[in-house]
Amino acid sequence: EPEVTQTPSHQVTQMGQEVILRCVPISNHLYFYWYRQILGQKVEFLVSFYNNEISEKSEIFDDQFSVERPDGSNFTLKIRSTKLEDSAMYFCASSAERGSPGANVLTFGAGSRLTVL
Amino acid sequence: SQKIEQNSEALNIQEGKTATLTCNYTNYSPAYLQWYRQDPGRGPVFLLLIRENEKEKRKERLKVTFDTTLKQSLFHITASQPADSATYLCAPSGFQKLVFGTGTRLLVSP
């Protein structure tokens, strides 16, 4: 069963530091996403990415956040200057091309827990 | 603005009974609706997708209904088992972005 892998599984950082969370989506998927979940709260959409550009982003995804697909396999989320309220679980997801089997269905990774001190 | 409502209170049921979870949405005209399962500390896992022109969909012990007039989906688990205990998320969708409801926690007691 193909899976989305995320690293690191847990990262602790000091407020104001930059953090990069990494994801390897399913190899033949073309749509990539980042979501976050603050402890005890709902899973919130951050950003979607297709054809090497952001296709949609939420109001949470401000100038402190950026995404990149630096090569053919990785998809990264960078937080430039972390704040306490950035502490959350960050999930990467991917989905197949429109019109293909399983299109519109998201496959999620296991998540990266970010703790900002 | 778009709103997705799921019962925030946990649903407690006895093993073997049918669990029914509700998802209501407003200011949406989704082309389809998805249900996911989330276990503590893990990412959501896809369960079922139902399209706007489908009234009902089944997969093993799972059944989903979709009423676009009421703007509601019902998710049923028949013959529930303790292993079904998890949080269930609904996501009415139409385009790329998948937005989740708050989820309903299901607890199945032996």
Side-chain angles (χ1 to χ4, degrees):
Chain A
E1 183 84 32
E3 57 180 33
V4 174
T5 55
Q6 291 187 240
T7 53
S9 56
H10 189 191
Q11 180 151 0
V12 181
T13 190
Q14 294 291 324
M15 193 167 55
Q17 294 297 303
E18 176 183 284
V19 158
I20 297 177
L21 305 178
R22 291 183 168 79
C23 169
V24 178
I26 292 173
S27 61
N28 62 345
H29 283 183
L30 299 179
Y31 293 87
F32 313 117
Y33 311 84
W34 284 101
Y35 286 78
R36 81 168 185 192
Q37 186 172 34
I38 295 170
L39 189 65
Q41 296 187 26
K42 63 186 279 189
V43 177
E44 299 175 290
F45 170 79
L46 291 179
V47 66
S48 58
F49 191 87
Y50 173 72
N51 200 25
N52 279 319
E53 60 183 29
I54 290 173
S55 45
E56 197 163 358
K57 61 182 180 180
S58 72
E59 52 274 15
I60 302 169
F61 194 88
D62 60 23
D63 292 342
Q64 292 297 314
F65 291 90
S66 63
V67 289
E68 195 179 29
R69 187 150 163 86
D71 52 45
S73 58
N74 289 284
F75 179 51
T76 63
L77 174 70
K78 183 194 288 187
I79 310 174
R80 283 192 188 81
S81 177
T82 49
K83 304 180 195 119
L84 296 176
E85 54 264 36
D86 293 326
S87 295
M89 185 77 103
Y90 289 81
F91 294 109
C92 174
S94 66
S95 64
E97 176 67 273
R98 298 288 175 261
S100 64
N104 306 315
V105 171
L106 271 59
T107 301
F108 284 82
S112 292
R113 180 170 299 284
L114 176 65
T115 302
V116 182
L117 302 175
Chain B
S1 62
Q2 296 170 335
K3 202 171 174 185
I4 305 165
E5 290 179 339
Q6 293 186 258
N7 195 337
S8 57
E9 288 180 21
L11 177 64
N12 288 278
I13 63 166
Q14 207 75 35
E15 182 176 9
K17 302 289 186 188
T18 296
T20 299
L21 285 67
T22 305
C23 174
N24 294 295
Y25 57 91
T26 53
N27 298 322
Y28 255 114
S29 293
Y32 53 90
L33 188 144
Q34 301 187 42
W35 283 88
Y36 286 72
R37 168 183 172 142
Q38 186 178 28
D39 290 286
R42 295 181 165 262
V45 174
F46 170 75
L47 295 175
L48 277 170
L49 180 153
I50 185 166
R51 301 187 188 282
E52 61 180 337
N53 59 351
E54 297 174 312
K55 294 287 185 197
E56 180 181 298
K57 199 147 190 187
R58 291 174 187 259
K59 179 182 171 185
E60 297 171 355
R61 294 184 295 112
L62 308 180
K63 184 178 90 171
V64 171
T65 64
F66 191 14
D67 189 326
T68 55
T69 303
L70 288 179
K71 294 188 182 291
Q72 182 182 78
S73 175
L74 298 178
F75 177 80
H76 307 271
I77 305 175
T78 57
S80 59
Q81 303 165 0
D84 295 326
S85 298
T87 297
Y88 291 86
L89 314 175
C90 80
S93 309
F95 302 101
Q96 290 177 255
K97 184 172 78 174
L98 202 66
V99 176
F100 290 98
T102 51
T104 297
R105 190 165 169 224
L106 174 66
L107 298 168
V108 182
S109 311

